[in-house]
Amino acid sequence: MSERSMRSITRLAMVSVLLCSACPRTGTTGGTTAGGHAGEAPTSIEVPEEVSESTYPGLVRELRSASVGTPGRVELRRALVSHLARRFDEAMEAGRTSRAWDIFAQSMRLYEASELRPGEVDAHIGGMARRVLEVYEPRGDEARVISALLSLTLA
């Protein structure tokens, strides 16, 4: 595949995933800096050893309040995506494919557009995308299939 085609696919992937997720993010106010000042973007992020259902919402707020390039941002997103991948697997095993799709879309929304580059998206995204394909391709759900295929080009 040519580099030009790859760039086009990457752009299409970003647009497709954002359109298919159809859940607007709320504002990114709040958070604390390393010094603890509320309302300012953090200067670094402390990454927990494990993400739980109770800590997930606060950690997502912290991720969203951090600028791209903030130390610890990639590691925190990796931990959040790993948590979501476990929830995705549980939903799939329970036959809750719509819930699994929502979790997949949620994991993609943890990325800013500038972070969606081939090879820089967490490997869990690729695993979820493959399972989305298995479920939605036979159903003819083109939007979700295209989103999954394009997500695979990034993982």
Side-chain angles (χ1 to χ4, degrees):
M1 186 178 298
S2 73
E3 185 175 328
R4 182 175 178 199
S5 295
M6 198 62 171
R7 281 195 308 267
S8 295
I9 288 173
T10 301
R11 284 189 208 109
L12 184 57
M14 290 185 287
V15 171
S16 180
V17 170
L18 294 174
L19 288 174
C20 288
S21 65
C23 294
R25 290 190 345 193
T26 58
T28 58
T29 59
T32 58
T33 62
H37 304 288
E40 298 175 16
T43 55
S44 66
I45 298 175
E46 193 171 317
V47 181
E49 288 188 29
E50 188 172 321
V51 176
S52 68
E53 290 298 316
S54 63
T55 61
Y56 179 81
L59 293 170
V60 170
R61 281 191 299 277
E62 187 170 358
L63 178 76
R64 290 183 176 162
S65 69
S67 301
V68 172
T70 299
R73 180 180 167 79
V74 170
E75 293 80 4
L76 176 58
R77 186 180 53 243
R78 188 175 301 127
L80 292 168
V81 169
S82 179
H83 171 74
L84 289 174
R86 287 190 300 276
R87 289 180 50 207
F88 176 91
D89 290 341
E90 291 167 3
M92 290 296 272
E93 289 169 15
R96 299 181 63 211
T97 56
S98 289
R99 179 68 186 129
W101 166 259
D102 291 342
I103 294 167
F104 172 69
Q106 187 178 4
S107 69
M108 290 303 296
R109 287 192 304 272
L110 295 174
Y111 290 84
E112 295 296 329
S114 64
E115 297 172 309
L116 291 172
R117 293 185 299 264
E120 294 189 28
V121 172
D122 193 281
H124 288 297
I125 299 291
M128 288 187 277
R130 281 187 279 286
R131 302 239 353 239
V132 165
L133 282 173
E134 291 171 9
V135 169
Y136 288 102
E137 189 171 32
R139 296 179 187 179
D141 191 332
E142 293 175 1
R144 290 180 181 178
V145 168
I146 290 169
S147 294
L149 286 169
L150 295 172
S151 297
L152 282 172
T153 68
L154 300 171

